[in-house]
Amino acid sequence: MNRMILLNPGPVNVTDRVRKALLHPDLCHREPECAELVQSIRQKLLEAFGLEGVFLTALITGSGTAALEMAVSSCVAEGQAMLVVRNGVYGERIATMAESHSIPTVTVDCDWGVVPSLDAIERALKEHPEIGLVALVHHETTTGLLNPVHEVGELAHRYGKKLLIDAISSLAGDTLDFERSHVDYCVGTANKCLQGFPGVSFVLVRKEEIDSLATHPARSVYFDLNKNLKAQEAGETLFTPAVQVHYAFDAALDELIEETVTGRIKRYAGASTLLRQGFNEMGLEYLVDPAHRSNSLTAIKLPEGITYEFLHDELKKQGYVIYAGQGGLKKSIFRIANMGDIQTGEFQRLLEVLKTCLAKSPSLRD
Ligand SMILES: *Cc1c(COP(=O)(O)O)cnc(C)c1O
């Protein structure tokens, strides 16, 4: 095995089939072949997640943040506010985006790695009738914590609010029940658990939202969800899409449909279980309680005397790229994601390599 195994939460290792799809012949984005490609991706996304007839897909060229900004800037009506739950970098980013588009926000904050209080969310909903939309990160990739999307969705529904989910790192990695959780807008990207390349992301929009979406102010040109969606419904794209990345995404969706979303979730759950058994045997400690961990990322406390830099560099020499903590967790944790096309044998070897690294840490000898 001479490839670099990516244990960061995207971009992920892709299959050769997806990589080869990049090399499709050059194509003008105003030709019917490109329209077909865009429709194919939009359709396959709905098919994979069982959303045909209920949702529509709006694609956008850009990383996951592009689709998130498209949703955040477009989904709140004039005069309304957005409730944002913040318990990690990505919840904070949603609030920052809303503010940068002059959308009023109400925030419910809790410590990173901790499940937000439903009472606090309900209190905010009661106290702020101006809230029109609730925004929640499903899998807070900062910590590997799954937020209670179903409970928050029930609350939003009970108070007559729309629900926007950042599922960028959870779609096809952890279960998301769009109906039970009352999801109206769901943001995803090609390059995490969907196993495509970075460069295209999307918003799944509940069909019933289309009319009201059209009445919201256009706060951006490129990130206008209503206009992008309308253009794509008419078989066009507003701007130049990353054509080659779209070809690869189409191939990645074929693979997802073959594996099925349930099958992929099972595979990721199996991989994280295997890894965590190994971490347990090494005596490593976790940031998040077992009940709230995602299937695709594990945040591990750096053992006493071991720096992230040491661990990262030693593992990289062996072909594995791990990921640092963010913000206040930068010095205290490291993260291991198991997204993408990685084989069981590669995870097993990682455990052996990690064990060796931990044993030879120079600072442990001080
Ligand atoms: C990765 C991630 C993003 C940002 O995606 P990019 O592709 O890096 O722009 C946003 N939200 C969550 C939850 C993520 O995991």
Side-chain angles (χ1 to χ4, degrees):
M1 242 337 131
N2 54 9
R3 65 173 184 161
M4 197 67 82
I5 309 287
L6 302 183
L7 303 170
N8 48 293
V12 299
N13 290 112
V14 301
T15 63
D16 283 340
R17 178 170 161 197
V18 170
R19 193 185 330 283
K20 280 180 187 144
L22 281 175
L23 297 177
H24 264 76
D26 299 342
L27 178 64
C28 166
H29 70 293
R30 297 294 178 210
E31 291 299 312
E33 292 90 337
C34 191
E36 261 170 50
L37 173 64
V38 166
Q39 297 316 339
S40 167
I41 294 170
R42 296 179 66 228
Q43 171 57 29
K44 283 174 190 170
L45 273 168
L46 300 181
E47 185 186 336
F49 291 96
L51 301 174
E52 289 156 302
V54 189
F55 277 76
L56 293 173
T57 316
L59 299 176
I60 187 153
T61 284
S63 75
T65 308
L68 189 60
E69 185 144 15
M70 177 158 79
V72 168
S73 64
S74 305
C75 296
V76 179
E78 188 75 70
Q80 290 197 325
M82 180 184 294
L83 186 152
V84 188
V85 178
R86 299 192 296 189
N87 58 346
V89 166
Y90 297 102
E92 292 186 356
R93 188 174 293 170
I94 291 177
T96 306
M97 276 178 184
E99 285 153 15
S100 74
H101 290 282
S102 302
I103 296 166
T105 56
V106 174
T107 55
V108 172
D109 295 324
C110 72
D111 287 343
W112 291 10
V114 175
V115 178
S117 148
L118 295 173
D119 287 343
I121 294 172
E122 181 159 13
R123 220 176 307 126
L125 288 170
K126 270 190 192 142
E127 282 170 12
H128 296 277
E130 74 276 19
I131 292 168
L133 181 103
V134 175
L136 181 73
V137 178
H138 183 201
H139 173 207
E140 198 23 287
T141 325
T142 315
T143 56
L145 175 108
L146 283 180
N147 272 320
V149 60
H150 174 57
E151 289 79 357
V152 174
E154 288 273 286
L155 271 178
H157 184 68
R158 185 145 28 97
Y159 283 83
K161 315 300 182 189
K162 301 301 171 191
L163 182 67
L164 162 64
I165 298 296
D166 169 353
I168 290 177
S169 65
S170 62
L171 274 181
D174 281 275
T175 306
L176 177 58
D177 187 328
F178 285 74
E179 292 314 310
R180 256 186 87 231
S181 305
H182 307 284
V183 178
D184 296 297
Y185 300 95
C186 179
V187 180
T189 191
N191 64 290
K192 293 198 185 186
C193 308
L194 300 185
Q195 298 188 184
F197 284 104
V200 55
S201 53
F202 55 88
V203 184
L204 302 168
V205 181
R206 192 176 282 280
K207 272 187 163 177
E208 284 124 60
E209 293 309 305
I210 307 289
D211 289 343
S212 83
L213 187 62
T215 66
H216 299 171
R219 299 178 175 96
S220 164
V221 175
Y222 192 75
F223 300 113
D224 186 326
L225 177 58
N226 175 52
K227 283 216 181 78
N228 275 289
L229 185 59
K230 293 251 161 81
Q232 289 169 34
E233 278 295 290
E236 290 157 15
T237 53
L238 279 187
F239 308 106
T240 310
V243 179
Q244 287 71 16
V245 173
H246 280 63
Y247 272 120
F249 191 26
D250 193 53
L253 289 171
D254 285 337
E255 288 187 341
L256 178 61
I257 289 167
E258 287 161 23
E259 184 173 11
T260 76
V261 167
T262 315
R264 180 155 309 170
I265 290 172
K266 266 202 193 127
R267 175 160 64 86
Y268 282 17
S272 58
T273 302
L274 172 91
L275 288 173
R276 287 164 195 171
Q277 274 164 0
F279 301 149
N280 289 344
E281 283 163 22
M282 286 174 232
L284 291 169
E285 290 174 15
Y286 304 91
L287 184 68
V288 172
D289 285 345
H292 303 299
R293 286 180 208 152
S294 74
N295 287 326
S296 66
L297 184 136
T298 310
I300 302 165
K301 293 183 184 166
L302 277 163
E304 186 79 36
I306 294 191
T307 65
Y308 173 75
E309 290 70 23
F310 168 78
L311 206 54
H312 169 271
D313 294 355
E314 287 296 313
L315 287 169
K316 192 167 177 188
K317 282 184 216 158
Q318 301 292 329
Y320 292 97
V321 175
I322 59 167
Y323 211 51
Q326 287 159 290
L329 296 171
K330 206 170 160 54
K331 292 257 175 281
S332 57
I333 67 161
F334 65 103
R335 291 178 289 172
I336 292 191
N338 54 276
M339 300 172 184
D341 175 52
I342 304 176
Q343 310 305 314
T344 306
E346 293 170 315
F347 288 124
Q348 285 164 336
R349 193 178 148 257
L350 165 70
L351 290 172
E352 287 164 26
V353 171
L354 179 62
K355 204 169 159 186
T356 313
C357 285
L358 292 174
K360 79 173 198 193
S361 164
S363 42
L364 276 188
R365 284 188 245 116
D366 291 347

